[in-house]
């Protein structure tokens, strides 16, 4: 049914293509999946076809077809499936280089995804190095994202004092700064300082301090500190 609808163009959303690709992959229908993945619907089907090849022990063929489509595609739609494949093979440096051409793009930018890939591999210094390659214009345009991610990476690397020093240099009204700094303090074992920071910022929602308390076995205190439902409704613009 799905195949017939797709062949006849009787669909309006990509969900139909995704459902068909997933169904073909689950049932090992490789020839039909190849047709979907390398034809006019490659933008949806190719990642499923490539992963199916990889799962069948044909990772080299999956890499080849992905690289062929990347070379011919001006919208960088096929880089992430290749990055994931390389990451699963432990070829992290190659994965980074596949994503690098997109790092300064406004659309299809894979910078954040590559940073998270590096972080998951425990390569925090490499992630920080890529982040610090951004120029002043990029940092100014993406100020909150850049700085909060830098603080997060420093924290994940256990470089708490460096993270706090970086946070102290930033404007206090930077979006997400309070929460990021509180997280660093919590990771460093300075829970009361983290709580004080969260509670002192009127823009931080009460659940953040409550969640911190719960993580440290202080659920009763967390519940007592939360506003009532009536107060939350009164404060909400939808109330």
């Amino acid at each position: 049914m799905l195949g017939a609808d797709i062949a006849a163009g009787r669909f309006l959303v990509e969900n139909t293509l995704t459902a068909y690709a997933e169904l073909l992959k689950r049932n090992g229908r490789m020839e039909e999946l190849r047709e979907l993945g390398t034809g006019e619907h490659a933008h949806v089907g190719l990642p499923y076809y490539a992963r199916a090849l990889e799962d069948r022990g044909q990772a080299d063929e999956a890499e080849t077809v992905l690289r062929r489509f990347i070379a011919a595609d001006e919208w960088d739609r096929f880089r992430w499936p290749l990055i994931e494949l390389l990451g699963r093979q432990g070829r992290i440096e190659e994965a980074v280089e596949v994503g690098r051409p997109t790092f300064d793009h406004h659309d299809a930018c894979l910078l954040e995804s590559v940073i998270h890939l590096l972080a998951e591999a425990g390569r925090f210094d490499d992630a920080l190095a890529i982040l610090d390659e951004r120029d002043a214009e990029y940092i100014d345009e993406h100020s909150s994202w850049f700085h909060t991610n830098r603080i997060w990476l420093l924290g994940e690397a256990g470089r708490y004092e460096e993270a706090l020093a970086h946070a102290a240099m930033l404007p206090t009204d930077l979006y997400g700064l309070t929460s990021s700094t509180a997280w660093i303090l919590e990771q460093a074992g300075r829970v009361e300082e983290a709580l004080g920071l969260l509670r002192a910022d009127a823009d931080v929602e009460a659940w953040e301090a409550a969640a911190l308390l719960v993580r440290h076995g202080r659920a009763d205190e967390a519940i007592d500190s939360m506003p009532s439902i009536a107060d939350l409704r009164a404060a909400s613009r939808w109330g």
Side-chain angles (χ1 to χ4, degrees):
M1 289 172 62
L2 285 168
D5 277 357
I6 289 166
R10 294 193 299 267
F11 65 95
L12 298 175
V13 295
E14 289 186 2
N15 290 357
T16 304
L17 296 170
T18 298
Y20 188 44
E22 289 176 341
L23 183 64
L24 293 174
K25 181 176 178 294
R26 284 197 304 273
N27 287 275
R29 304 275 285 272
M30 292 298 292
E31 183 56 29
E32 290 154 287
L33 187 55
R34 183 192 65 77
E35 292 178 5
L36 183 71
T38 60
E40 65 175 307
H41 302 303
H43 63 291
V44 173
L46 182 57
Y48 293 93
Y49 176 53
R51 185 58 190 266
L53 287 171
E54 182 186 357
D55 291 345
R56 294 165 70 93
Q58 298 171 264
D60 289 346
E61 186 176 341
E63 180 178 346
T64 296
V65 72
L66 284 168
R67 288 190 183 277
R68 174 161 57 87
F69 272 80
I70 287 169
D73 183 55
E74 62 181 297
W75 294 292
D76 290 319
R77 293 173 296 183
F78 306 109
R79 289 182 181 273
W80 182 244
L82 178 57
I83 289 170
E84 288 185 309
L85 185 154
L86 294 171
R88 286 189 291 271
Q89 295 181 336
R91 297 159 62 186
I92 303 298
E93 291 85 357
E94 293 174 73
V96 170
E97 293 311 310
V98 172
R100 191 178 296 279
T102 74
F103 287 173
D104 292 315
H105 290 182
H106 287 283
D107 298 317
C109 177
L110 295 174
L111 175 59
E112 183 170 20
S113 297
V114 167
I115 284 172
H116 279 271
L117 178 75
L118 287 166
E120 288 168 8
R123 300 177 61 156
F124 304 112
D125 289 344
D126 291 337
L128 281 162
I130 288 175
L131 200 60
D132 288 340
E133 289 172 3
R134 302 309 102 203
D135 59 26
E137 182 180 355
Y138 183 97
I139 295 171
D140 183 63
E141 187 174 352
H142 306 86
S143 181
S144 174
W145 180 88
F146 176 88
H147 291 297
T148 55
N149 273 277
R150 195 172 194 283
I151 291 168
W152 165 66
L153 286 169
L154 287 168
E156 290 286 4
R159 295 157 62 177
Y160 303 131
E161 293 307 316
E162 191 175 343
L164 292 173
H166 182 72
M169 296 167 48
L170 301 173
T172 56
D173 61 348
L174 184 77
Y175 180 78
L177 178 61
T178 297
S179 299
S180 295
T181 306
W183 179 77
I184 294 292
L185 289 168
E186 181 187 2
Q187 298 306 301
R190 297 159 62 176
V191 176
E192 294 306 322
E193 290 179 66
L195 276 171
L197 189 64
L198 291 172
R199 287 167 170 167
D201 190 333
D203 292 328
V204 172
E205 295 191 40
W207 68 262
E208 292 199 44
L212 188 154
L213 288 166
V214 168
R215 286 194 295 272
H216 291 272
R218 297 159 63 177
D220 289 342
E221 187 178 346
I223 292 169
D224 290 341
S225 69
M226 283 295 292
S228 68
I229 296 297
D231 289 339
L232 289 172
R233 285 176 175 165
S236 171
R237 61 190 177 121
W238 305 111

